[in-house]
Amino acid sequence: MSKSQFVLERSGLEQLLQALKNEGYVTLGPTVRERAIVFGELHTLEDLPVGLKDWQEGGTYRLEPRADPALFGYNVGPQSPKQFLHPPLLRLLRASKTAQGFEIVSETEPLPKYAFFGLRACELQAIQIQDQVFLGGPYQDSHYKARREQVLILAVNCTQAGNACFCTSMNSGPKARAGFDLALTEVLEGDRHYFVGAVGSGAGARLLNQIAHRPASEREWNQAEALVDQTARNMGRGLNTEGLKELLYQNLDHPRWEEVAGRCLSCGNCTQVCPTCFCTSVEDHTDLTGQIAERTRHWDSCFTADFSYLHGGNVRVSTRARYRQWLTHKLATWQDQFGSLGCVGCGRCITWCPVGIDLTEEVAAMGGVHVQNQP
Amino acid sequence: MNACRLPGFAYWTYMVNLISHTPGLDPMLPRPFRVARAIRETADVVTLELEAPAGPPLRFDPGQFTMLYVFGVGEVPISISGDARKPERLVHTIRSVGLATEALCMLRKGGVVGVRGPFGSRWPMEQARGGDVVVVAGGIGLPPLRPVIYHILHHRKDYGRVYLLYGARTPSDLLFTEELKRWQHTLSHAPGASPVLVTVDRAEGSWDGAVGMVTSLIPNLRLDPAHTTAMIVGPEVMMRFTIAELRKRGIPEARLYLSVERNMKCAVGFCGRCQLGLQFVCKDGPVFAFSQVRNWMTQKEV
């Protein structure tokens, strides 16, 4: 057993929340709001969805009670860290009119320091993918960078798979392997309730030193590993990524695009809940006096008509073209653009699609191998 | 599959280092420029010559574009239409087609424009050296190609026969008519040659020139096709037909270049709107070798 593998009791985890607060973090984690698990500020462990599980299927999301008091007994909700690192609405600049033209008013408001409590492995991979989009190219998004570089991440390994999950196909989970400061596996064994953890960074090690913990025994570690292994074997869905890019490039004219367009509402829900979708619009406007101008950036979607607007018309008029753009971007062109798939297998786009369109099924219909729901 | 594997720890450490050590200006902040001269070219096209009131001029290469911002109104991508050897005057030629372009076209001397850039890829001026050059422009496609003509004029001996084929809707839509006349002589490679060939879709007034598609000018060009480079800007349908016609003349596909337009909000690869298949028009383009975009441009609604 490596020294970095430790065990926390529930009280130790409670101390961790306090330690984060002492270090000036705003701690964001899963909370229940409007019958869904969304990110909220955590003050105590009681703020977590204690003893709840989620039931997810295409177009379906329900919270239900569990038989045990698990703190992390559910999968991902509609929101992801994207909400905070790449905010849905962001002011890019303010300018005021002057006799000489205009001048930029600099922003001085300090950013909050976020600690993410309970991120899943797929979400860590999504952050890494957005790092590549916003920081890995010739230009860097200073807004993303400023938020990203002060983030602290406490990951939680999944001990159950959701019906919409396929992280094993996308090689992103269920176990967090990199990109965290601390990672925990929740174990409920009879009367015992503990968390087996690993340290992922110096910041994680410093935090750990502030709270009650002890080295993990081999049995405890194996127990945690077994739970994660079992999760990996119970994925609700699967997607064969072998030759996926070529499959989609060769099928830009496949009749399935027309078929799925008949079901797709072009609402853009999939792009809003997707933890990697990054497309935005930028709008300029002034106040009523015309003296102060602002530029804002907001999440947009390749499913909107305006998205591809050029003078004289839109490039992607049909839903067929918009769905094809989204899916081929996620699973094919993303690989050429950023060196990875744009999908992490979290299943949000399946759950939150109002008509339950399932990208794993669509790919299968194009000739990929569809893995049916497993028991 | 390799492409979807989570990168190892070394990669992650690299990313974290990259994050904490990279300084840099926000590429979304415009820099104010002043209108030194506004030239009305046609009923709906204006050329703006801009000067930086402070700081260095904005250096660019032929083919690049900037994002032009009108205070409180909006921002649009516009190709630079000036001479790269004279960066102290940043020149754009703009057709009024929407809110922001209309506001730009209404600016007068002394007006202020926010400028970001320059962005994007360049025309293949180096690769084209030593051979013939065919420049094909449709409508407002001529301004992005004017820096190419200026470059060739500055380095005329580096290029063989040079042709500018230019099509406009009507004679009154023709841009840079005085320069076109001058180029007829200055671009010429031999006495009596006519390097500038102009055609209109619809003749009007006293027009006695060619009428028809710009592609109809291609079959009669005297060229060494294997060593000819073509640079094309116009509506996509015009570019597709032009490419087909140039291929018929035996110009290798690898020597065909074009500049593509897509909706664009950031110009730096963040907004995602300008994707043409696997290419981002803002950072991989707008100038592409045809082979880079062939598979996508032949599909509808990409």
Side-chain angles (χ1 to χ4, degrees):
Chain A
M1 269 312 84
S2 147
K3 271 205 306 195
S4 65
Q5 287 151 2
F6 58 88
V7 164
L8 292 183
E9 300 296 330
R10 200 178 184 281
S11 56
L13 197 58
E14 191 78 61
Q15 289 171 16
L16 182 59
L17 275 179
Q18 194 55 47
L20 289 168
K21 185 173 259 178
N22 295 345
E23 293 209 354
Y25 285 102
V26 173
T27 302
L28 300 167
T31 59
V32 177
R33 196 168 73 226
E34 293 176 42
R35 291 186 292 168
I37 293 174
V38 295
F39 281 93
E41 197 172 340
L42 299 180
H43 301 284
T44 86
L45 292 182
E46 292 305 318
D47 294 332
L48 290 166
V50 183
L52 287 179
K53 63 182 174 188
D54 52 5
W55 169 257
Q56 303 196 32
E57 249 310 333
T60 303
Y61 182 91
R62 297 281 180 273
L63 290 185
E64 293 168 358
R66 291 175 64 93
D68 60 36
L71 302 184
F72 300 102
Y74 40 84
N75 295 105
V76 293
Q79 294 181 339
S80 70
K82 173 172 99 167
Q83 197 85 17
F84 303 93
L85 299 178
H86 177 46
L89 179 62
L90 178 71
R91 185 167 63 213
L92 294 176
L93 78 87
R94 290 186 79 198
S96 68
K97 205 168 195 166
T98 63
Q100 275 70 45
F102 64 88
E103 63 186 19
I104 310 273
V105 183
S106 56
E107 304 266 0
T108 49
E109 219 174 293
L111 288 172
K113 242 169 62 170
Y114 293 126
F116 288 113
F117 197 89
L119 288 195
R120 308 304 174 123
C122 58
E123 298 182 295
L124 303 187
Q125 179 132 315
I127 291 174
Q128 181 253 306
I129 288 171
Q130 286 213 328
D131 284 350
Q132 195 58 32
V133 171
F134 291 122
L135 305 172
Y139 298 96
Q140 299 207 327
D141 178 11
S142 56
H143 306 278
Y144 181 85
K145 182 169 175 269
R147 287 161 176 77
R148 174 73 179 93
E149 62 190 2
Q150 52 183 9
V151 153
L152 189 121
I153 293 174
L154 174 94
V156 166
N157 297 320
C158 287
T159 46
Q160 69 280 306
N163 285 328
C165 290
F166 54 105
C167 65
T168 48
S169 298
M170 310 317 275
N171 221 343
S172 67
K175 187 180 167 73
R177 281 167 294 181
F180 56 81
D181 297 287
L182 291 173
L184 302 177
T185 306
E186 181 174 33
V187 183
L188 288 135
E189 259 187 302
D191 290 345
R192 290 212 57 209
H193 188 183
Y194 59 95
F195 303 86
V196 178
V199 173
S201 74
R206 278 195 302 281
L207 268 174
L208 188 63
N209 282 335
Q210 298 174 42
I211 62 176
H213 67 284
R214 58 176 171 77
S217 72
E218 192 165 345
R219 204 192 66 80
E220 286 165 331
W221 180 255
N222 288 342
Q223 182 68 21
E225 288 293 288
L227 286 170
V228 177
D229 289 346
Q230 181 192 314
T231 306
R233 286 193 301 273
N234 284 305
M235 287 291 128
R237 281 168 162 77
L239 178 63
N240 183 11
T241 57
E242 194 71 44
L244 183 54
K245 185 174 90 176
E246 293 71 22
L247 175 78
L248 290 167
Y249 282 178
Q250 286 157 15
N251 282 293
L252 295 174
D253 282 324
H254 199 286
R256 184 72 181 192
W257 299 118
E258 196 63 58
E259 197 280 328
V260 66
R263 289 175 282 136
C264 175
L265 308 177
S266 206
C267 70
N269 257 19
C270 49
T271 57
Q272 305 302 288
V273 296
C274 176
T276 69
C277 270
F278 60 86
C279 289
T280 50
S281 187
V282 175
E283 309 291 344
D284 288 289
H285 49 266
T286 62
D287 67 356
L288 287 175
T289 67
Q291 294 303 301
I292 301 284
E294 284 194 346
R295 169 170 299 169
T296 53
R297 174 168 91 182
H298 61 80
W299 288 358
D300 204 347
S301 169
C302 51
F303 283 93
T304 66
D306 186 54
F307 189 77
S308 63
Y309 177 79
L310 281 181
H311 61 90
N314 301 316
V315 175
R316 293 182 208 107
V317 179
S318 66
T319 300
R320 171 187 181 275
R322 294 181 203 165
Y323 188 85
R324 182 179 67 178
Q325 166 63 23
W326 179 71
L327 194 77
T328 52
H329 187 215
K330 261 321 72 158
L331 300 177
T333 53
W334 203 297
Q335 299 189 43
D336 284 317
Q337 294 168 348
F338 301 111
S340 76
L341 284 154
C343 173
V344 297
C346 69
R348 286 181 177 92
C349 58
I350 302 169
T351 298
W352 296 95
C353 174
V355 294
I357 293 171
D358 175 350
L359 82 169
T360 66
E361 202 179 305
E362 297 313 312
V363 170
M366 307 262 169
V369 180
H370 185 212
V371 183
Q372 283 296 331
N373 278 14
Q374 292 163 356
Chain B
M1 135 171 235
N2 282 335
C4 67
R5 186 165 302 143
L6 187 72
F9 188 72
Y11 172 83
W12 190 264
T13 311
Y14 162 76
M15 279 306 298
V16 171
N17 284 336
L18 193 70
I19 291 166
S20 42
H21 290 116
T22 312
L25 283 170
D26 184 349
M28 292 303 286
L29 292 185
R31 188 177 148 202
F33 276 59
R34 189 162 296 283
V35 177
R37 194 169 163 224
I39 307 157
R40 178 151 291 279
E41 304 282 359
T42 69
D44 59 354
V45 177
V46 168
T47 293
L48 295 180
E49 297 186 4
L50 306 175
E51 283 177 353
L58 193 147
R59 297 188 183 281
F60 68 97
D61 286 316
Q64 292 194 290
F65 69 97
T66 66
M67 295 297 282
L68 296 186
Y69 168 63
V70 181
F71 180 82
V73 179
E75 192 185 51
V76 278
I78 304 284
S79 287
I80 303 171
S81 64
D83 188 337
R85 295 222 308 188
K86 299 171 185 166
E88 58 284 354
R89 280 273 167 114
L90 182 63
V91 184
H92 296 80
T93 302
I94 303 149
R95 188 164 85 193
S96 173
V97 292
L99 218 55
T101 49
E102 189 187 332
L104 284 164
C105 287
M106 281 164 56
L107 288 170
R108 296 291 170 264
K109 184 177 175 172
V112 172
V113 179
V115 178
R116 297 194 289 124
F119 299 114
S121 57
R122 297 136 172 89
W123 291 111
M125 302 317 302
E126 279 304 307
Q127 297 91 310
R129 280 173 60 167
D132 296 343
V133 178
V134 182
V135 174
V136 190
I140 196 70
L142 182 58
L145 287 162
R146 192 165 67 165
V148 170
I149 304 294
Y150 290 147
H151 181 96
I152 292 175
L153 290 172
H154 287 308
H155 305 89
R156 186 63 192 85
K157 289 196 178 67
D158 292 350
Y159 301 91
R161 283 166 287 212
V162 176
Y163 294 99
L164 169 62
L165 316 183
Y166 174 35
R169 282 172 298 181
T170 71
S172 55
D173 288 309
L174 289 170
L175 300 170
F176 313 145
T177 46
E178 289 307 309
E179 281 188 296
L180 291 173
K181 280 182 213 158
R182 282 205 298 279
W183 293 343
Q184 195 65 272
H185 305 288
T186 51
L187 272 183
S188 178
H189 56 274
S194 292
V196 179
L197 302 168
V198 179
T199 179
V200 296
D201 295 341
R202 203 168 68 243
E204 272 175 1
S206 59
W207 179 255
D208 59 357
V211 177
M213 307 275 278
V214 75
T215 47
S216 66
L217 304 170
I218 294 170
N220 299 322
L221 300 179
R222 282 171 52 87
L223 292 169
D224 173 8
H227 302 101
T228 295
T229 301
M231 306 182 207
I232 312 156
V233 187
E236 271 180 40
V237 57
M238 166 267 184
M239 294 200 284
R240 279 200 293 272
F241 279 103
T242 299
I243 285 164
E245 206 61 43
L246 292 167
R247 291 288 289 133
K248 275 192 217 160
R249 288 296 313 268
I251 299 176
E253 193 180 89
R255 287 178 164 269
L256 302 175
Y257 292 83
L258 67 172
S259 181
V260 180
E261 188 181 11
R262 278 292 179 276
N263 185 307
M264 204 179 278
K265 294 282 185 181
C266 76
V268 289
F270 300 155
C271 78
R273 303 169 81 98
C274 70
Q275 291 174 74
L276 175 65
L278 56 91
Q279 311 286 358
F280 281 80
V281 170
C282 67
K283 55 178 186 175
D284 304 318
V287 174
F288 291 103
F290 179 56
S291 57
Q292 287 176 279
V293 290
R294 186 209 311 105
N295 293 348
W296 303 100
M297 283 193 68
T298 48
Q299 283 283 339
K300 280 189 182 139
E301 293 191 77
V302 167

